[in-house]
Amino acid sequence: MSDSNSKFVILAALTGNGLIAISKFVASIFTGSTAMLAEGIHSVIDTGNQGLLLLGMKRAQKPPDEKFPFGYGKEIYFWSFMVAVLLFTAGAGISIYEGVEKILHPHPIDHPLVNYIVLGLAILFEGTSWAIAAKEFRRVKGSWGVLETVRRGKDPNKFLILFEDTAAIAGLLLAMGGLALVQFTGIEVFDGIASIGIGLILAFSSVWLAIETKGLLIGEAANKYIVDEIREEVSAHKAVARINEIPTMHIGPEYVLANISLRFVGGLSGTELQDAIADLDRRIKKRCPTVKRIFIEAEHEADPSIGHDSPAVTN
């Protein structure tokens, strides 16, 4: 998914959630439904989350400087993690609190038809946003399964909106179910139970998102197939005798740093070593476009200090 596609998906979700939040709060005030209030809070949190994602995308585009020589790509991961924190603390916490309060102090719901209309419109808007996000997600995942795509994905924007919209639709259906139970049974605590259920959905969403972004935030390695491609290019080079290790790290969704420890064959001159390093750099970046920076720790077979890494040669 390109940055423009990601931004379009986020803007579509932000606009829809903003309008939905307003309608839910109006309906909650008019009818007294706690589940509707919880849904309004859910939509406000989602709207704020999309704003944070846009902020992260903008800040991640800042060029490298003296303080951050590898750039600001991890800004996306930081703000995605903040989204998870807000979902858990504000969204889930408030929804569960309001649900418990309604169970302890139940009160009737007035004009339930208003809630049905608002929830129906919200499902329509969320469904539209979900369809847009799902279309882009299918384009990204290719032949991978959904869970595999999320595990391998290095850009939270590619799955976060889809997951948020899925949780939102589940919450809307739960709120509608709670409202229907109150209306048909006359037992008002069902409205509070629905609010607690919405809070639990948000809590699960936030924990799952935090787990997926934590590794990227602290420095997750590139996917195995990228490391394997780097290894193939290096091992096939005539100047390389042995590969020691290839640690990698994602600086941003499309920015991989690779540190290659290897041993060159004996008999190479200084110029030949420099040419080999330059050739390796070119070959790897051509095959793996996301690998932007390469550091090579070079050993030479004829080096009497074999067993100790010589000073790193970098590109």
Side-chain angles (χ1 to χ4, degrees), residues 11-237:
L11 285 172
L14 187 149
T15 303
N17 278 315
L19 295 173
I20 292 169
I22 295 172
S23 63
K24 286 176 180 176
F25 281 126
V26 171
S28 173
I29 295 171
F30 192 64
T31 64
S33 171
T34 302
M36 185 60 72
L37 175 63
E39 272 298 309
I41 294 170
H42 184 173
S43 293
V44 168
I45 298 300
D46 282 351
T47 304
N49 289 346
Q50 278 114 43
L52 291 179
L53 291 178
L54 289 174
L55 175 64
M57 289 180 65
K58 182 177 180 180
R59 292 184 61 86
Q61 293 173 354
K62 292 173 62 178
D65 54 31
E66 185 176 350
K67 188 174 183 181
F68 293 95
F70 295 111
Y72 291 78
K74 285 184 179 288
E75 288 269 6
I76 289 179
Y77 305 146
F78 171 77
W79 291 109
S80 297
F81 192 80
M82 290 303 299
V83 165
V85 172
L86 286 174
L87 273 176
F88 187 83
T89 56
I94 295 174
S95 297
I96 293 173
Y97 171 81
E98 291 292 340
V100 173
E101 184 69 17
K102 180 62 179 286
I103 291 174
L104 295 177
H105 305 95
H107 56 79
I109 297 176
D110 301 320
H111 310 290
L113 180 61
V114 175
N115 282 336
Y116 285 120
I117 293 173
V118 171
L119 287 171
L121 291 173
I123 290 174
L124 177 63
F125 294 145
E126 289 284 5
T128 302
S129 175
W130 184 92
I132 294 172
K135 180 180 179 181
E136 295 299 329
F137 184 78
R138 284 194 297 269
R139 183 182 304 176
V140 169
K141 81 181 189 70
S143 60
W144 293 345
V146 173
L147 294 179
E148 185 180 12
T149 302
V150 173
R151 284 196 301 268
R152 292 191 180 192
K154 306 302 181 180
D155 185 353
N157 293 337
K158 293 182 178 180
F159 57 81
L160 193 150
I161 296 299
L162 179 63
F163 194 79
E164 269 194 351
D165 287 343
T166 302
I169 292 173
L172 289 167
L173 294 175
L174 191 57
M176 187 174 286
L179 181 63
L181 286 172
V182 172
Q183 186 177 2
F184 288 110
T185 67
I187 303 175
E188 296 160 357
V189 296
F190 281 122
D191 187 45
I193 293 173
S195 180
I196 292 174
I198 293 168
L200 293 176
I201 289 174
L202 290 174
F204 172 79
S205 302
S206 63
V207 171
W208 182 85
L209 178 59
I211 291 172
E212 291 299 328
T213 55
K214 183 195 73 172
L216 295 168
L217 186 61
I218 63 178
E220 188 171 298
N223 284 318
K224 184 178 182 299
Y225 76 91
I226 293 180
V227 178
D228 289 342
E229 288 179 346
I230 295 173
R231 187 179 300 277
E232 287 176 8
E233 286 295 330
V234 176
S235 61
H237 200 280

